[in-house]
């Protein structure tokens, strides 16, 4: 059985991006959020994103209309009852995710797969809280979803080969390149990326170079499209700190300790772009 209908829980940045990725390749989706305003905001974001593609002549107006028709917005969990897979893309909060997963499981079919878009929470742990641990997998998309080619497929200890194969096929149908990783804090990409950003913060705090010079060094010396400190501002310094805390506790290894300057900036409310100030002013 191939996946033909996708249920998406969360209409925020990741959720509406996943809905768009499905819509443009002809896959129907049901996009759910807590209230009408949140769902409508998600639909509007997809519409604006597709408008940009129409303007660039990468899509016709007719194709946009057809894509939008493939997204069914809802606030009712019961509307997920006929989907082939549920992708949970809610806020990175374990308690919230577990509550949502239990509500979804109560309405979906017995053979429906559940995937989580979590970037740091244990897939094995989330799977164990459901009654279908073998049909549970991590499907970690990257932001912005329509542009980024990568999807990390995270196998929990219980994930079956059949579940992995179906979700891998879905990722490829979405035009993505999936990589399969074992369950571990940060999986692969964030495990490498976040400590690098954290180290850049140590370098800044030690006064080795300015933020601009550190970012220029990594852009020009390592061919990165964006410097680590500008990237931290884009991710959100509170999110960065949360991830480093997960690593520090998960691995019990001092090399993952969050930079003191990172803690200090979060305490000051300097969270990056979203607060107007981080390592740079916005």
């Amino acid at each position: 059985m191939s996946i033909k209908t996708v249920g998406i829980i969360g209409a925020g940045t990741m959720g509406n991006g996943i809905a768009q990725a499905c819509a443009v390749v002809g896959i129907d989706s049901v996009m759910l959020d807590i209230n009408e305003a949140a769902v409508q905001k998600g639909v509007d974001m997809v519409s604006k994103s597709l408008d940009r593609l129409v303007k660039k002549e990468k899509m016709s107006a007719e194709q946009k209309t057809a894509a939008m028709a493939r997204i069914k917005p809802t606030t009712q969990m019961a509307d997920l009852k006929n989907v082939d897979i549920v992708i949970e893309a809610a806020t990175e909060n374990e308690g919230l995710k577990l509550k949502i997963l239990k509500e979804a499981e109560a309405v979906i079919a017995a053979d429906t797969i559940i995937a989580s878009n979590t970037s740091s929470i244990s897939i094995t742990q989330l799977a164990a809280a459901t009654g279908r641990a073998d049909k549970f997998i991590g499907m970690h998309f990257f932001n912005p979803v329509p542009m980024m080619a990568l999807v990390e497929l995270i196998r929990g200890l219980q994930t079956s080969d059949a579940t992995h194969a179906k979700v891998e096929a879905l990722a490829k149908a979405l035009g993505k390149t999936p990589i399969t990783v074992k369950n571990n804090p940060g999986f692969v990409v964030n495990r490498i990326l976040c400590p690098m950003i954290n180290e850049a913060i140590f370098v800044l705090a030690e006064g080795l170079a300015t933020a601009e010079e550190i970012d220029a060094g990594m852009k020009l010396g390592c061919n990165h499209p964006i410097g680590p400190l500008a990237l931290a501002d884009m991710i959100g310094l509170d999110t960065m700190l949360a991830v480093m805390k997960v690593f520090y506790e998960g691995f019990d290894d001092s090399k993952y300790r969050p930079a003191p300057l990172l803690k200090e900036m979060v305490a000051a409310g300097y969270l990056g772009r979203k607060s107007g100030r981080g390592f740079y002013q916005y």
Side-chain angles (χ1 to χ4, degrees):
M1 178 200 83
S2 64
I3 293 169
K4 295 185 172 60
T5 314
V6 176
I8 301 159
I9 301 177
T13 305
M14 299 306 290
N16 70 59
I18 296 166
Q20 178 178 328
C22 291
V24 296
V25 297
I27 296 173
D28 292 328
S29 69
V30 179
M31 183 170 68
L32 178 143
D33 214 313
I34 196 162
N35 57 45
E36 290 289 351
V39 178
Q40 192 54 50
K41 188 178 177 186
V43 171
D44 291 345
M45 291 294 287
V46 176
S47 183
K48 284 176 189 167
S49 181
L50 295 182
D51 280 341
R52 287 193 290 272
L53 295 179
V54 173
K55 197 173 180 182
K56 291 176 183 172
E57 297 185 350
K58 291 183 177 178
M59 173 183 268
S60 69
E62 291 75 22
Q63 285 171 320
K64 182 209 161 177
T65 302
M68 292 303 296
R70 294 188 191 106
I71 302 171
K72 178 186 176 180
T74 185
T75 58
Q76 303 300 314
M77 198 66 81
D79 288 338
L80 300 178
K81 67 179 184 290
N82 295 320
V83 302
D84 299 318
I85 183 173
V86 168
I87 301 174
E88 171 274 311
T91 309
E92 199 71 349
N93 175 304
E94 188 175 338
L96 176 66
K97 287 183 186 291
L98 290 172
K99 177 177 176 284
I100 286 168
L101 292 173
K102 289 204 179 302
E103 288 175 5
E105 200 172 20
V107 301
I108 60 178
D111 59 349
T112 299
I113 293 167
I114 302 179
S116 176
N117 181 56
T118 180
S119 57
S120 65
I121 299 168
S122 167
I123 295 301
T124 297
Q125 199 170 321
L126 290 174
T130 72
R132 61 186 78 206
D134 61 317
K135 296 182 183 68
F136 198 100
I137 194 167
M139 196 176 191
H140 182 212
F141 292 84
F142 289 77
N143 188 22
V145 176
M147 306 285 293
M148 299 293 273
L150 182 70
V151 175
E152 283 182 316
L153 300 182
I154 304 101
R155 296 190 67 146
L157 203 57
Q158 319 92 316
T159 307
S160 71
D161 290 342
T163 296
H164 174 264
K166 285 176 187 172
V167 177
E168 185 177 50
L170 172 63
K172 289 177 178 175
L174 295 176
K176 306 301 182 188
T177 301
I179 61 170
T180 299
V181 307
K182 290 179 182 174
N183 185 59
N184 219 282
F187 314 132
V188 166
V189 175
N190 284 339
R191 167 83 178 272
I192 297 166
L193 176 68
C194 293
M196 182 201 76
I197 294 172
N198 194 51
E199 195 63 28
I201 299 168
F202 271 113
V203 168
L204 177 67
E206 289 164 23
L208 301 186
T210 65
E212 290 80 3
E213 287 167 330
I214 291 165
D215 280 356
M218 293 305 290
K219 279 165 41 178
L220 303 177
C222 298
N223 209 22
H224 289 191
I226 184 172
L229 299 175
L231 182 56
D233 280 354
M234 190 187 289
I235 293 167
L237 302 195
D238 51 343
T239 303
M240 266 300 306
L241 179 57
V243 172
M244 291 311 299
K245 283 180 176 174
V246 166
F247 289 3
Y248 192 35
E249 290 161 16
F251 293 111
D252 196 21
D253 189 333
S254 63
K255 76 176 181 180
Y256 295 112
R257 70 198 184 284
L261 176 59
L262 176 59
K263 293 181 182 176
E264 189 77 355
M265 295 201 43
V266 172
Y270 301 160
L271 307 182
R273 289 192 180 200
K274 62 186 170 188
S275 72
R277 179 173 177 179
F279 295 110
Y280 298 92
Q281 297 270 6
Y282 299 93

